[in-house]
Amino acid sequence: MANRHPSPDLAVLDIGGGSTEATRKGGGSSTPIGAVWLLEACGPDVAACRARASAVFGNGYADWQGRTKLAAVGGTATALAMLELSLPKFDNAAIEGLEVGLERVSA
C-alpha cells in the first residue's frame, strides 16, 4: 500500500499482538512490541505502557517525524476505530476510511 500510494508522506502501520509492522515508500520495519506484549509487560498501568512504547518507537522511528498521513490496518486499528465511533459491534462500512486526527491518537 505505502509503495503504491501517490503520497510520499504515507506510512502504513499494523499493530499486532506481539509486534508492530510499519512501512513507507522505500522500506519499513518490524518492532517487537505489540498490544498483547504491552499489556503483559505493563499490565493496566497506562503510564507504564506509554513510557515503554515511547522508548521503543521513539528510537526506531525518529526519522519518521512529520509524517502527515498514517494508514492503520488490522485488528488493533479496527478496535480503536470502533471505540472512536462508539460502535457496539463491528461495522465495516463505518470503519473503512475513518480519519482520526493526531490529537485523538496521541493523547
Side-chain angles (χ1 to χ4, degrees):
M1 181 177 187
N3 284 331
R4 295 189 316 258
H5 196 277
S7 172
D9 292 331
L10 178 72
V12 179
L13 186 70
D14 184 359
I15 303 170
S19 67
T20 296
E21 316 307 321
T23 57
R24 63 181 181 168
K25 285 192 187 244
S29 63
S30 177
T31 305
I33 185 172
V36 174
W37 183 92
L38 261 180
L39 183 62
E40 290 174 348
C42 304
D45 184 344
V46 174
C49 286
R50 284 184 177 156
R52 181 78 58 99
S54 292
V56 171
F57 292 116
N59 294 332
Y61 296 90
D63 65 327
W64 289 41
Q65 296 296 321
R67 289 276 175 213
T68 57
K69 292 285 185 180
L70 176 68
V73 299
T76 301
T78 299
L80 291 173
M82 289 176 67
L83 288 170
E84 177 69 16
L85 297 171
S86 300
L87 296 176
K89 63 179 185 169
F90 178 75
D91 180 350
N92 187 60
I95 293 170
E96 184 75 27
L98 175 67
E99 292 192 21
V100 179
L102 182 58
E103 69 282 353
R104 295 289 295 150
V105 296
S106 62

